[in-house]
Amino acid sequence: MDWIVGIYNYRMVRPYVPLFLEGIGATIWIASVCLVLSILFGTALALARSSRRGIVWRPVAAYTQFVRSTPLLVQIFLIYHAIPLVMANPRLIGDTASGIIALTIHTSPYMAEIIRAGIASIPQGQSEAAMSVGMSYRQRMIHVVLPQAFANIAPPMLGQMAVLVKDTSLLSLIAVFELVSAGMTLMSERIAPNEAFITIAFSYLVIYFAMLVVTTKVQRRLGGAAWRAG
Amino acid sequence: MMGQYVDIFVEVLPFLLTGLWRTVVFSIFALVLGSVLGISLGLLRSLRLPIVHPAIGLYLHIFRGSPFLVQLYVVYFVLPNVGIELVSLSAGILALTLYASSYITEIAAASIEAVPRGQTEAARSCGMGTWQTYRYILIPQAMRMMLPPLASVYVIVVKSTSLFSMIGLSELMRVGFTTAQREPAYVFLIYVIVAGLYFVYCYPILRFARWAELKVGSHMTEIL
């Protein structure tokens, strides 16, 4: 077992295990908050994007294109530096909150594209039937179209969730505490790059494979059309 | 008021453009190398050989399951400790090549498999071997389908080069950081210009990807 200590000294990592667990927890927590926010915001964007009025869909389209053609790192720094410009009291928003805002702004357009595809996958007849029993636009969306759409898009959405978890790693660069920051603490206290970075990479892979198992289960369970939508 | 911003813009633009130029060079290098590696692995994967097929599958999972930032750190900080000496440039290009290849492998394998089965069967019944089937039947048809998703990967590669700033390569993002340090009062403006330059570079490629996808009629960009 001695050869492994030369490359990866697990004895050095042992005291840092609680810190890494905390980091994993923070990563999952940030990703979950962003997921919920971006699904809500993404749904709004998807509905706006399918509007027939140019004044509604054009800004959304421009926003989507901007997010897709610039790196997340630039977006994070833009938001980070924009907050003091627009807020009277920037202290109210900490690094973590500004990171969450940036990630939500980044993820929502991707979510919106997925949700839009989901809405498009629902046959027109569903909407027409709902209309013929006297439902308003709002009722049609909430009770008929969106529930079916969300069942259809579970697979691509889980994929987007995996991307979101990976994207949280960039928040370490604006001093948010998460998995990479936990590893960086080990790196700076012990100057042990192998131990620090291999542990970080391994932790991400554990999260990823856990999500993969869940995704496969969900896909089997939904079966049929949902399976093909992915 | 406005004049100040214009002055700053004119002052910092030449620096940022040198950064953009390096971003262009790095991304083209990584895309070309990543395509060579990715297409080879993709063809190999489409053969469905025992051991090789799951091994490539594991490779894909590892590179798609961890953030590029972490991969970059592992290549830059860990490899020198196990006897592989790398300067930041080769570390960055290597990490990005591996990352890009994980996307391209999947695209190449999916494109080969998207060629209708009858094509392979027809080739086999004409007496073509596996190599000939690939060379004359599968690869020419798969190439067409690969182009649109490859353009999308190119955009991913360009965006990922922004992380090279973390290992000290002076590409666009890094030049942005140093410029922002020199002009602390205009940090936001500088990042807006940086974002604008990335946009100018990536947006046409994205448009091309969408156009090519409509033309080819595949929907493979979705697997990204």
Side-chain angles (χ1 to χ4, degrees), chain A residues 27-95:
Chain A
T27 288
I28 293 176
W29 165 244
I30 293 171
S32 319
V33 172
C34 289
L35 181 72
V36 173
L37 291 177
S38 62
I39 287 176
L40 292 176
F41 191 35
T43 310
L45 287 178
L47 293 177
R49 186 68 180 78
S50 352
S51 161
R52 253 185 244 117
R53 290 195 199 104
I55 199 161
V56 178
W57 72 259
R58 278 181 197 281
V60 176
Y63 161 55
T64 308
Q65 299 299 354
F66 173 79
V67 166
R68 296 185 69 149
S69 354
T70 52
L72 173 58
L73 188 58
V74 177
Q75 292 161 17
I76 289 174
F77 276 91
L78 271 179
I79 302 294
Y80 187 74
H81 290 287
I83 285 168
L85 297 181
V86 294
M87 293 269 298
N89 185 1
R91 296 255 168 94
L92 285 178
I93 293 195
D95 292 339

Side-chain angles (χ1 to χ4, degrees), chain A residues 6-7 49 62 65-74 77-79 81-82 85 106 110 160 163 165-167 169-170 172-173 180 184 187 192-195 197-198 200-201 204-205 208-209 212 229-230, chain B residues 58 60-70 73-74 77-79 81-82 99 103 155 158-160 162-163 165-166 173 177 187-188 191-192 194-196 198-199 202-203 206-207 210 221-224:
Chain A
I7 298 170
R49 186 68 180 78
Q65 299 299 354
F66 173 79
V67 166
R68 296 185 69 149
S69 354
T70 52
L72 173 58
L73 188 58
V74 177
F77 276 91
L78 271 179
I79 302 294
H81 290 287
L85 297 181
H106 175 78
Y110 290 95
Q160 192 60 45
V163 174
V165 169
K166 292 196 288 174
D167 283 346
S169 65
L170 293 193
S172 64
L173 305 176
V180 176
M184 282 301 191
M187 167 80 177
N194 288 17
E195 286 72 12
F197 295 117
I198 291 174
I200 298 174
Y204 273 110
L205 289 178
Y208 174 74
F209 281 108
L212 209 60
Chain B
L58 183 66
L60 295 183
H61 276 311
I62 288 176
F63 281 94
R64 312 241 351 219
S66 57
F68 177 62
L69 179 66
V70 174
Y73 282 157
V74 168
F77 291 109
V78 176
L79 289 190
N81 286 340
V82 293
Y99 183 62
Y103 285 100
V155 173
V158 173
K159 291 196 282 183
S160 303
S162 67
L163 295 182
S165 54
M166 295 300 138
M173 192 67 208
F177 285 144
V187 177
F188 186 70
Y191 287 130
V192 169
V194 169
Y198 274 113
F199 185 83
C202 293
Y203 184 64
L206 270 182
R207 282 313 286 252
R210 186 136 36 101
T221 323
E222 281 169 17
I223 66 172
L224 301 175

